[in-house]
Amino acid sequence: MVQKYRRSSSRSSGQQRSTTVRVVAGVLALMMVGSLAFVVVGTAGSGGDDLATPPTLPVPDDCPADDKSDAPRLAFTSRPTWCLSPGVSYTAVFDTTEGEIRVALDKARTPETVNNFVVLTRFGYYDATMLFRFDPSIDIIQGGAPTTNDWSDRGPGYTIPDEGGEYRTTTSGQLIGPFTYQAGDLVMARSAGPDSSGAQFFFATGSRTSLLDAQGTYIVFGHADETGTAVLQAMMNLYEVDESSQYGGGPSRDVFVRSVTIEAD
C-alpha cells in the first residue's frame, strides 16, 4: 500500500516520501489505539449501553465506626476529616431521661457542622452527658460538655469554621451572622469570636430564642420533629429559679442525654 503512492524518480525523494508515509501510518495507528482505549475505558463494567459506574471513594481511616465501636473518645488534635457520604441524609436521635428527640440534620446548608456533630456522636462524645444549662429568658437548653458538664468544658480540642451564610463585623467589632431561630432548632454554642464553635450545642425551645436573631452567629444545623420539640418544651417547664446556681436556676431534676445515635438514609 505504501508502494502504491511512491511516484518519485529519485532515491532520496522516495526515501523522504516513504518516511512521511510511515509517520502518517504510525499516527493513524496511534489514533486508532487511542480511540479503542477510550471506548474500552468508557464502557467497562457498564453492561453495554449504560454509563460507567462512578468509582467508590475510600472512607478515611480516621472516621469513627458507624456502630460506635470506636467509642468513647473525647479529645482530638484537629477537627474531623470529611466522613459523610454523598446523597445520604442524617438524623440525630437523642435518647434523654425526659424522652426521645429526633433531629433532621441540615447537611445542605451546614455540611461542616453536621460532619463534626456526626463524627463526635459516633465517637460517643455526647453519651451520658448532662443538659446543664436551662435559660428561659432566651428559651434554650444547652449541653455537649462531657468533661465537666458545664460551659467551662475544655471541648474536643479544636474549633470549626463558620458557615451557612454571610458573616460580617460591625464598626464596633461585633460579629453578625445569617441565622434566625425558632423552637426545635439544634444550634451550635460558641464564643463571640469567629470560627469558635466546637462541640457544645443548645436546643431552641420557644419563641424567645428569636432574641438571638440580632446576632445570628449561632449555627443552626438541625431541627427537631414535632414530638421532639414537645419533649424540649416539657423539659423547659421543669425550670426553677435557684440563686445558688451559676445559671440562675435549672430543672427540678437533672436531665441527661443517655446517648445520641445517627441514622443515615
Side-chain angles (χ1 to χ4, degrees):
M1 190 172 182
V2 173
Q3 293 177 347
K4 182 176 180 180
Y5 291 94
R6 292 181 60 188
R7 298 180 179 176
S8 174
S9 59
S10 68
R11 187 171 181 272
S12 60
S13 176
Q15 288 178 333
Q16 182 177 3
R17 289 182 181 274
S18 178
T19 301
T20 301
V21 170
R22 284 198 299 269
V23 170
V24 171
V27 170
L28 288 174
L30 182 60
M31 290 173 65
M32 290 176 67
V33 171
S35 299
L36 178 60
F38 175 80
V39 171
V40 170
V41 171
T43 60
S46 66
D49 296 331
D50 296 335
L51 294 175
T53 302
T56 301
L57 298 177
V59 177
D61 58 11
D62 52 350
C63 290
D66 294 356
D67 62 1
K68 288 189 173 181
S69 57
D70 295 326
R73 183 177 175 186
L74 304 182
F76 304 83
T77 57
S78 62
R79 68 185 179 95
T81 189
W82 184 256
C83 295
L84 303 184
S85 299
V88 175
S89 299
Y90 294 87
T91 300
V93 183
F94 291 76
D95 175 18
T96 81
T97 51
E98 302 299 320
E100 183 180 271
I101 306 165
R102 297 180 63 85
V103 179
L105 302 179
D106 190 353
K107 189 175 74 168
R109 185 177 185 184
T110 57
E112 289 288 347
T113 308
V114 169
N115 181 68
N116 177 66
F117 188 82
V118 168
V119 170
L120 290 178
T121 295
R122 287 176 170 167
F123 274 124
Y125 190 90
Y126 298 110
D127 293 351
T129 59
M130 181 183 291
L131 293 174
F132 60 85
R133 180 189 176 195
F134 284 57
D135 188 344
S137 70
I138 51 175
D139 285 337
I140 71 166
I141 297 175
Q142 187 168 339
T147 306
T148 63
N149 279 317
D150 64 30
W151 54 16
S152 69
D153 193 273
R154 68 191 183 198
Y158 62 83
T159 58
I160 59 176
D162 293 330
E163 63 178 346
E166 181 181 359
Y167 291 75
R168 60 185 178 84
T169 303
T170 66
T171 54
S172 63
Q174 182 183 4
L175 187 67
I176 304 295
F179 292 98
T180 58
Y181 308 94
Q182 59 180 321
D185 284 345
L186 176 59
V187 189
M188 290 300 291
R190 64 179 299 143
S191 68
D195 306 321
S196 57
S197 298
Q200 290 191 38
F201 63 84
F202 64 84
F203 286 106
T205 69
S207 60
R208 292 187 185 90
T209 314
S210 65
L211 294 172
L212 300 176
D213 290 358
Q215 294 174 291
T217 55
Y218 302 97
I219 300 172
V220 179
F221 66 102
H223 191 79
D225 62 15
E226 186 175 346
T227 300
T229 301
V231 170
L232 291 167
Q233 292 169 338
M235 282 184 189
M236 185 57 79
N237 289 336
L238 298 173
Y239 180 85
E240 295 178 344
V241 174
D242 180 1
E243 293 182 359
S244 66
S245 167
Q246 62 178 321
Y247 309 112
S252 57
R253 56 180 177 264
D254 288 342
V255 179
F256 284 90
V257 175
R258 295 190 184 102
S259 67
V260 186
T261 55
I262 300 296
E263 294 180 358
D265 301 313

